[in-house]
Amino acid sequence: KAGYPDGVFQINDLNILSWDKIGEGNGVEIHSITRMRNVFIKNFGGHGLFISADVGNHASNASNSKIDYIQVAECGKDGIHIRGGDANAISFYDCDVRDCGGVGINDDSFLGCKFFNPMVHECKGGAYRAMNGNNRTEFFGAYMEGGQGDSEIGGVTHVYGGICGPGSQWVARSPWCKIDQE
């Protein structure tokens, strides 16, 4: 079901599958404020979930979107990729990303987003990335399966709690980052 109650686009209870991973198409692209819940995205050549918005360049705004209970699997690029000056303060709850060719969750938004209880398995580019120099992304209780490489954070990104499997770790590329997994 998709709709626009209260002017906000909504996507609920949906499976989005590609039988043949052809080209670089994304599973779902979002360019406006969206509420997404209980969505499964699988086997796209591009990103599984791609959120991009910029009021100045593209007259789009996705800030303050809410993403709940989604699973992204076997996509060619990043599982979840966020970018742009107006793709900020998006809240992600209980997202599961696995077996993608890029980074599991890659937040390149200008001001950052919030991730509550995310889980990433076996992504070739690492589990998490938030490297925008102005980014204030926060990861709460993030789980990353072992052996998928380092998760890189920059800007003023913070990590609170969570689990890193063997051979996986958070790497702070900025002195303003905070990693608290005690």
Side-chain angles (χ1 to χ4, degrees):
K1 297 187 292 186
Y4 289 97
D6 301 325
V8 175
F9 190 73
Q10 294 193 22
I11 304 169
N12 298 309
D13 305 313
L14 186 63
N15 291 332
I16 303 167
L17 310 168
S18 172
W19 298 112
D20 296 311
K21 196 182 297 180
I22 298 172
E24 295 190 7
N26 300 318
V28 174
E29 284 195 27
I30 294 175
H31 305 284
S32 63
I33 299 171
T34 301
R35 304 290 184 261
M36 178 184 286
R37 182 179 176 92
N38 196 29
V39 173
F40 177 62
I41 304 164
K42 182 177 179 182
N43 203 34
F44 285 85
H47 304 294
L49 173 60
F50 179 70
I51 302 173
S52 176
D54 195 309
V55 169
N57 292 330
H58 303 289
S60 59
N61 181 14
S63 293
N64 202 32
S65 291
K66 303 282 186 271
I67 312 295
D68 300 314
Y69 309 115
I70 68 162
Q71 184 177 39
V72 178
E74 301 175 23
C75 291
K77 293 184 178 179
D78 299 338
I80 298 172
H81 187 97
I82 306 110
R83 75 167 187 203
D86 293 291
N88 306 303
I90 300 171
S91 297
F92 292 83
Y93 301 92
D94 300 313
C95 297
D96 179 355
V97 179
R98 50 186 72 228
D99 305 310
C100 291
V103 176
I105 296 174
N106 189 351
D107 184 359
D108 190 28
S109 63
F110 180 62
L111 294 175
C113 298
K114 308 270 186 275
F115 297 88
F116 301 91
N117 198 38
M119 181 167 50
V120 178
H121 301 261
E122 305 301 324
C123 288
K124 292 179 182 165
Y128 303 97
R129 188 171 197 275
M131 289 295 296
N132 185 309
N134 196 55
N135 195 308
R136 288 151 172 81
T137 295
E138 293 180 304
F139 294 99
F140 298 89
Y143 173 87
M144 69 176 91
E145 191 68 36
Q148 58 186 333
D150 294 337
S151 291
E152 295 183 289
I153 57 174
V156 191
T157 298
H158 291 158
V159 176
Y160 303 99
I163 298 171
C164 297
S168 295
Q169 66 178 347
W170 292 97
V171 176
R173 304 281 188 209
S174 163
W176 300 285
C177 294
K178 178 180 179 182
I179 301 170
D180 181 7
Q181 288 196 302
E182 302 297 322

